[in-house]
Amino acid sequence: MDVERIREDFPILKQTVYGKTLKYLDNAATTQKPKAVIDTITKYYTTQNANIHRGVYHLSEVSTQAYEGVRVDVKNHINANSTKEIIFVRGTTEGINLVAATYGRQNIKPGDEIIISEMEHHSNIVPWQLLCEEKDAKLRIIPMNDDGELLVDEYAKQINEKTKLVALVYISNSLGTINPVTDFIRLAHENNIPVLLDGAQALPHIKVDMQELDCDFFLFSGHKVFGPTGIGVLYAKESFLEQMNPYQGGGDMIRSVKFEKTTYNDLPHKFEAGTPNIAGVIGLGTALKYVAKIGYENIEKYEKELLCYATNAISSLTSVKIIGTAKKKASVISFTIDNVHPHDAGTILDREGIAIRTGHHCTQPVMDRFKVPATSRASMAFYNTKEEIDALVAGIEKVIKLFA
Ligand SMILES: Cc1ncc(COP(=O)(O)O)c(C=O)c1O
């Protein structure tokens, strides 16, 4: 993989910040966009913009074809069975809320239990908490060990006849852990329990395959996979979507409306009320094609090398502790520096042109588990380099010296 060549595709990476070249290491929060994605969106608004599914005129047909074409691309990218299983939403958060508000409301009863884990993003905690409050149901939490690995045995013990759903993160955004989700799914399915996977951090790093995973719901966000913000995908097995009530009412999700009764549109349109983010969908299509062209094997191999390099370098610094040392990890390194608040470290690194995230990363229970108020987090994509890691390490050394 020619990283220098790939970097040419990302105009933003050429920028300087405080006179230093930008070293963007906050990819778990959002990824940068290749020129192909930016150009697709410009082309859409310059030559194709029209509302979809409604117009009988040329532009509307072009726009509709482009939009529905991406549904096919997404289906192929994640190896779903049918385009009926691909629902465009605003992002992972909206997708999880959709499942909670429809499937959840219809199926969770007082006394039922929903299993999540200790390393969930707030987006995969709060919708279930709200549902449990409404339904008088209970959340059960899979604990993890000191390396940030979920305890499969504890999970197995939590499953019982009250368990009605398992909602689990595939790759942790704050620890980098890649969970053995197939084991978790198998165990749930042996007990007839459906599984939702939060795939927000998976798509940028690893190949996902709905047939292999066999999860029942899967979510991802466009902006974390080199696509635009405000667009994401809910995949759900058709049999589930057929049973689920609509999420929002309005245009395009209906077949006919009478004041007495409304009948709903077929899948997937039943879940896409109102004018959608057409440009976002089209940009997402280009982003997925871009990633597929680089190839997940190449991405995984390169990022593994980068993670290994960064882990060795950062862990060799005395007074730095890495939080999240799972055997299977994506290219995310969370760390603390003795006697330095992460926000101070982040501010000093910013002056060196280094963009990392500091805080709780929307995973406050993870911070509680490791008894830290916050961490600094460097999260790498395939366009990052060993030189950028060297700059990060030099920056951390500077921080340590300043606070010594
Ligand atoms: C693991 C995980 N789940 C969910 C989300 C929420 O994604 P979005 O804000 O795009 O809805 C994120 C974003 O940081 C994430 O990392």
Side-chain angles (χ1 to χ4, degrees):
M1 207 173 77
D2 185 349
V3 178
E4 284 314 316
R5 163 71 208 78
I6 287 171
R7 288 177 71 82
E8 291 296 313
D9 294 337
F10 292 82
I12 206 167
L13 299 178
K14 292 207 169 67
Q15 272 192 50
T16 53
V17 176
Y18 304 111
K20 309 268 172 68
T21 46
L22 170 68
K23 290 160 274 292
Y24 185 77
L25 296 167
D26 193 18
N27 294 286
T30 199
T31 50
Q32 299 304 343
K33 319 306 169 202
K35 195 164 174 302
V37 169
I38 301 164
D39 287 350
T40 301
I41 295 169
T42 306
K43 181 176 160 215
Y44 172 74
Y45 281 125
T46 313
T47 65
Q48 303 173 333
N49 177 51
N51 214 327
I52 56 166
H53 297 151
R54 296 164 174 79
V56 291
Y57 54 91
H58 172 74
L59 270 193
S60 178
E61 277 170 11
V62 168
S63 194
T64 304
Q65 267 176 23
Y67 180 89
E68 291 301 333
V70 175
R71 209 187 297 275
V72 179
D73 295 340
V74 173
K75 170 201 160 273
N76 293 336
H77 193 90
I78 65 171
N79 196 21
N81 258 328
S82 151
T83 49
K84 290 183 188 170
E85 300 178 323
I86 308 299
I87 313 291
F88 291 119
V89 289
R90 278 193 298 138
T92 304
T93 304
E94 187 180 47
I96 297 172
N97 277 280
L98 189 162
V99 178
T102 57
Y103 182 82
R105 279 220 181 102
Q106 284 169 257
N107 292 285
I108 303 298
K109 312 250 167 347
D112 284 349
E113 295 182 354
I114 297 172
I115 299 182
I116 62 170
S117 86
E118 209 173 9
M119 66 171 77
E120 298 308 315
H121 187 280
H122 295 164
S123 296
N124 200 30
I125 301 176
V126 186
W128 307 119
Q129 262 174 345
L130 289 169
L131 181 69
C132 286
E133 271 167 32
E134 185 184 319
K135 297 287 184 179
D136 202 15
K138 196 175 155 198
L139 269 189
R140 301 202 64 164
I141 317 295
I142 310 165
M144 59 182 154
N145 64 21
D146 291 341
D147 288 326
E149 294 168 321
L150 293 180
L151 303 175
V152 184
D153 292 352
E154 293 301 315
Y155 163 68
K157 280 188 224 154
Q158 288 174 344
I159 293 181
N160 62 43
E161 66 289 347
K162 292 187 219 151
T163 315
K164 292 291 147 50
L165 183 75
V166 174
L168 200 63
V169 70
Y170 196 159
I171 298 183
S172 157
N173 63 309
S174 53
L175 299 167
T177 311
I178 304 178
N179 286 315
V181 289
T182 38
D183 295 346
F184 282 86
I185 295 166
R186 193 174 9 85
L187 217 59
H189 283 178
E190 280 167 12
N191 292 278
N192 292 321
I193 302 159
V195 179
L196 174 144
L197 273 193
D198 169 353
Q201 298 293 341
L203 266 274
H205 302 292
I206 57 174
K207 175 100 189 95
V208 299
D209 183 317
M210 293 306 113
Q211 309 305 318
E212 268 174 30
L213 285 171
D214 193 35
C215 55
D216 303 282
F217 303 96
F218 187 91
L219 294 307
F220 72 89
S221 299
H223 72 101
K224 294 195 197 281
V225 63
F226 314 97
T229 51
I231 190 66
V233 170
L234 159 65
Y235 155 86
K237 284 183 183 161
E238 198 177 334
S239 53
F240 282 88
L241 289 173
E242 288 290 1
Q243 305 165 26
M244 281 155 56
N245 291 332
Y247 177 47
Q248 292 174 335
D252 230 24
M253 54 72 74
I254 58 97
R255 189 188 308 285
S256 85
V257 176
K258 303 218 182 309
F259 285 118
E260 297 73 33
K261 179 158 179 63
T262 290
T263 55
Y264 306 124
N265 204 341
D266 293 332
L267 290 174
H269 310 293
K270 183 171 102 179
F271 291 101
E272 292 180 12
T275 301
N277 181 356
I278 306 167
V281 165
I282 291 170
L284 171 65
T286 304
L288 294 180
K289 280 194 186 124
Y290 182 86
V291 172
K293 203 166 142 209
I294 295 179
Y296 276 108
E297 309 95 79
N298 297 327
I299 293 172
E300 276 190 60
K301 185 164 170 267
Y302 179 70
E303 288 186 358
K304 207 169 180 181
E305 221 180 283
L306 214 53
L307 176 70
C308 196
Y309 185 80
T311 306
N312 285 339
I314 293 173
S315 55
S316 72
L317 299 168
T318 46
S319 75
V320 176
K321 180 165 185 262
I322 294 180
I323 309 281
T325 46
K327 278 179 234 41
K328 278 197 84 186
K329 265 187 79 170
S331 48
V332 172
I333 301 187
S334 260
F335 58 93
T336 55
I337 310 173
D338 289 350
N339 307 318
V340 184
H341 193 281
H343 289 326
D344 293 329
T347 308
I348 293 163
L349 291 171
D350 177 44
R351 294 285 159 162
E352 304 294 318
I354 301 166
I356 61 156
R357 178 58 61 98
T358 59
H360 54 61
H361 320 293
C362 299
T363 56
Q364 283 184 359
V366 172
M367 303 299 120
D368 292 344
R369 168 64 178 77
F370 287 95
K371 299 192 174 52
V372 292
T375 73
S376 300
R377 179 188 70 184
S379 52
M380 282 88 70
F382 52 71
Y383 46 57
N384 290 121
T385 63
K386 287 185 182 163
E387 290 74 37
E388 288 177 318
I389 305 295
D390 293 341
L392 172 67
V393 172
I396 300 172
E397 280 171 335
K398 195 168 177 179
V399 171
I400 294 171
K401 242 189 227 141
L402 270 170
F403 282 84

